[in-house]
Amino acid sequence: ARAWAVRAAVNALMPDYGKVSMTRAEMYQRASEFTRTALDLDPDNALAFGVRAMVQAVANANLIAPKNQVEIFSNFDRALAIDPKSQSILMWRGIQYRRVGRLRDALADFEACVVIDSAYRPCQTNRYVTLHGMGRTEEALDAYESTLVEGNSFLGGFEYGMLAKMDQKIAFTILTNSPRLLAGWGRHGDLYEAFHNLDADHSELVSEARSFLNGKLDVDYVYAAPSLLVPIGAYDLIESIGHLWAYEYKNYRQSPQFKNYMKRTGIFTYWKETGFPPQCRPLGEDDFECD
């Protein structure tokens, strides 16, 4: 059962970590089938329940398969009731809490994960991303520095807004000069300044950056490019980012695209059923706004 659950997790995560021969939808379908096999063998397998919830969450976030948010969290909760010290499941639930705007719950999961094993890099990364999303950017930068000192090599593109807000221009431009992103391009300074003037029209800068990338907005850029370009206007790249609550996404959160995404993923329905996060509020029955 555990082997099938691990195989399911690998299939669900592969599209975010390397090139695959199948589509995301096909990978998620395989992962779902493998979790069913695992649970047929062991109906109380924590990892299988956790992977099932994770697969549901990422398929939903990528607008591949609509899933009920309450069901997703129910599967996560059941998994952690069986194995409360599973770092992977804590991390996956924390990411989903962050997707729906429950940042305090997300941070609690990431911190619990780090307590279990402080060397578990994905939880360290998600912890500082969430701190920044909560407006605790100085703490986030300190945590980011600590992970680098300790050997963290997972730089997924979450850091741009944090570094810009803390006036870390050299670090910001080192990241944007990554071979995975915009190495060799000539307007990194303009990108940095754009993060300091988010209300301006940056459409020409976005267009030039996308032309330089020239079709590279695939799995290699699933985190890095959207995290860099969505805050300055490339709202069509938003799917699957999962950390939309930091200051640099403030204009996106006021956009029709944001509202459409929240509704298509069922997050708006989840809010109406369970309560809105502190940064959002309903506007009648069919609308909402977020800070």
Side-chain angles (χ1 to χ4, degrees), residues 198-200 231 235 247-255 258:
L198 294 169
D199 293 330
Y235 295 163
Y247 90 98
E248 63 265 27
Y249 293 95
K250 66 184 183 72
N251 290 330
Y252 172 70
R253 291 194 295 270
Q254 311 308 311
S255 72
F258 173 75

Side-chain angles (χ1 to χ4, degrees), residues 14 39 43 50 62 66 73 78 93 116 118 152-153 179 188 194 214 223 229 248 253 257 267 272 281 289-290:
M14 278 172 64
L39 290 169
N62 284 281
F73 282 112
R78 184 167 181 179
R93 188 178 69 173
I116 295 167
S118 62
N152 183 17
S153 60
H188 296 268
N214 191 26
Y223 300 122
L229 298 180
E248 63 265 27
R253 291 194 295 270
Q257 292 93 331
I267 293 174
K272 290 196 294 183
R281 61 208 63 85
E289 65 180 4
C290 294

Side-chain angles (χ1 to χ4, degrees), residues 164-179:
K165 189 171 184 180
M166 298 303 293
D167 297 319
Q168 299 289 319
K169 184 175 183 178
I170 291 177
F172 180 98
T173 52
I174 286 173
L175 286 184
T176 59
N177 271 286
S178 164

Side-chain angles (χ1 to χ4, degrees), residues 18-205:
K19 294 185 182 298
V20 293
S21 59
M22 292 182 287
T23 66
R24 282 182 178 271
E26 290 170 331
M27 299 296 286
Y28 295 155
Q29 180 61 36
R30 282 166 56 94
S32 295
E33 292 171 0
F34 296 157
T35 59
R36 283 197 296 271
T37 301
L39 290 169
D40 285 343
L41 292 167
D42 178 4
D44 292 318
N45 186 277
L47 183 60
F49 275 112
V51 174
R52 170 179 280 181
M54 182 266 288
V55 172
Q56 292 174 332
V58 294
N60 189 57
N62 284 281
L63 302 177
I64 291 171
K67 296 294 179 182
N68 182 284
Q69 297 290 337
V70 172
E71 179 185 351
I72 292 172
F73 282 112
S74 176
N75 281 319
F76 277 132
D77 293 346
R78 184 167 181 179
L80 287 167
I82 299 169
D83 184 2
K85 292 189 176 182
S86 171
Q87 291 173 279
S88 293
I89 300 171
L90 281 167
M91 181 185 67
W92 295 333
R93 188 178 69 173
I95 291 172
Q96 190 63 14
Y97 274 143
R98 192 172 61 213
R99 282 195 182 103
V100 303
R102 293 173 59 178
L103 301 183
R104 290 183 180 178
D105 291 326
L107 183 62
D109 273 356
F110 299 137
E111 290 187 335
C113 174
V114 170
V115 167
I116 295 167
D117 182 358
S118 62
Y120 194 69
R121 307 298 186 212
C123 281
Q124 289 187 341
T125 298
N126 279 289
R127 178 176 177 271
Y128 69 68
V129 170
T130 304
L131 284 169
H132 173 55
M134 298 173 73
R136 296 163 60 178
T137 305
E138 187 170 347
E139 290 178 65
L141 186 63
D142 288 343
Y144 177 51
E145 181 179 349
S146 294
T147 66
L148 292 176
V149 170
E150 295 166 4
N152 183 17
S153 60
F154 185 77
L155 303 175
F158 306 118
E159 301 86 4
Y160 307 118
M162 174 183 66
L163 294 173
K165 189 171 184 180
M166 298 303 293
D167 297 319
Q168 299 289 319
K169 184 175 183 178
I170 291 177
F172 180 98
T173 52
I174 286 173
L175 286 184
T176 59
N177 271 286
S178 164
R180 294 178 60 245
L181 198 56
L182 291 165
W185 193 52
R187 299 190 62 183
H188 296 268
D190 292 336
L191 278 175
Y192 179 76
E193 293 304 324
F195 270 73
H196 282 85
N197 188 16
L198 294 169
D199 293 330
D201 180 2
H202 300 296
S203 55
E204 182 270 334
L205 185 64

